[in-house]
Amino acid sequence: MIREHLKPLLDAAERVQMSPEEREEQRRSFAFGNTAIENDLITRELVDAEANKLAAEQPYVPGRNKAP
């Protein structure tokens, strides 16, 4: 059961529309947070560099190009 004082906050959060840039920043932050917990060699710069590499790649489309 949701506590009543949290309901307005949850309702407001459901209406938030993130821009593609905000969504990408959130994705990178999530990746950093989850990987850095187990590996202290992971940096935000490393996550950004790998995300930029992925963004530059052609997406794999079955039947149209080779698998990565």
Side-chain angles (χ1 to χ4, degrees):
M1 181 165 153
I2 297 175
R3 296 187 185 260
E4 291 305 311
H5 68 282
L6 294 178
K7 180 123 176 65
L9 296 173
L10 292 171
D11 290 342
E14 288 179 354
R15 291 188 298 274
V16 171
Q17 295 292 316
M18 293 174 65
S19 70
E21 294 82 12
E22 290 170 322
R23 192 173 300 115
E24 177 64 13
E25 181 59 34
Q26 184 69 26
R27 186 180 73 83
R28 292 180 185 205
S29 178
F30 180 83
F32 171 73
N34 281 282
T35 55
I37 289 172
E38 294 187 20
N39 184 344
D40 60 359
L41 297 176
I42 301 294
T43 64
R44 288 193 183 272
E45 292 78 15
L46 179 61
V47 170
D48 286 339
E50 293 302 314
N52 291 337
K53 283 186 208 175
L54 286 172
E57 290 181 3
Q58 289 287 348
Y60 170 66
V61 180
R64 291 196 184 164
N65 54 7
K66 290 183 175 182

